[in-house]
Amino acid sequence: MSTTTPALNSPAGTRSVLDRARDAMTVRRRAEVEVLEAALVWAHAHVPAGEDDAAGWRSDIIHTPGSAAALFGERATPIAGDGTPAVAEFAVTELAAVLDISHEATLSLVGDVLDLAHRLPRTWALVKELRVPVHLGREAARQSRDLDVDAAAHADRLLSWRPRRLNPH
């Protein structure tokens, strides 16, 4: 028998194991929210100010438009719903490298947090308060991505009305 774990046959031992599991889940949820918040700050730091800041097809400096040489640098990439800022495409790649996840997973992460912060602010507040798990907040963001701004605001009101009843379905 381990000297660090109380005996499970006593009520105090059972309770401490459950408390330990609950505390571990709280730490995990806080870490998930921290990753989302960091991704949001990173995305906001890489919002192009205008077309000239996000390089793309530059016919003004290239003599043969449409050639391979006409593609110049990164572009602003819309990765979330209406009302969210576009993000410089290479910023997502940098974030993916730091998080050690795929580019596609990072696009999804950044898109979800942009939708939460800009289109579903009430739901985002509940996620940050740990009242709604990150995976449910992200699912709400994905499911509402095709809605226009007004419909997303209405969905946000409905989602935040009774957060305990939210589920993946």
Side-chain angles (χ1 to χ4, degrees):
M1 177 162 30
S2 170
T3 58
T4 59
T5 305
L8 288 181
N9 55 3
S10 71
T14 303
R15 184 77 234 156
S16 68
V17 170
L18 294 176
D19 290 344
R20 182 177 171 198
R22 184 197 62 230
D23 293 346
M25 286 303 292
T26 301
V27 168
R28 176 182 172 186
R29 288 181 179 148
R30 281 194 183 116
E32 289 174 338
V33 169
E34 182 65 28
V35 169
L36 283 181
E37 288 176 329
L40 181 62
V41 170
W42 184 255
H44 284 159
H46 292 86
V47 173
E51 280 297 313
D52 293 338
D53 293 338
W57 293 99
R58 301 290 302 267
S59 60
D60 58 330
I61 60 171
I62 304 298
H63 298 292
T64 53
S67 70
L71 186 59
F72 181 79
E74 68 182 327
R75 295 172 286 144
T77 307
I79 55 176
D82 290 342
T84 63
V87 178
E89 67 179 327
F90 294 161
V92 175
T93 303
E94 287 181 77
L95 184 60
V98 169
L99 296 178
D100 196 26
I101 59 177
S102 72
H103 182 261
E104 291 76 18
T106 308
L107 278 173
S108 177
L109 175 85
V110 173
D112 294 348
V113 75
L114 285 171
D115 276 331
L116 281 167
H118 292 272
R119 294 165 44 90
L120 305 171
R122 292 176 174 146
T123 305
W124 176 229
L126 293 170
V127 169
K128 292 190 301 185
E129 294 168 5
L130 305 182
R131 293 181 56 204
V132 170
V134 167
H135 74 277
L136 289 180
R138 290 187 65 190
E139 182 65 23
R142 282 189 293 273
Q143 292 296 325
S144 65
R145 186 152 300 145
D146 292 336
L147 300 176
D148 66 28
V149 174
D150 293 332
H154 181 66
D156 189 35
R157 285 190 296 277
L158 293 175
L159 290 168
S160 62
W161 179 52
R162 296 181 86 181
R164 284 269 196 212
R165 300 191 75 190
L166 289 179
N167 63 61
H169 307 292

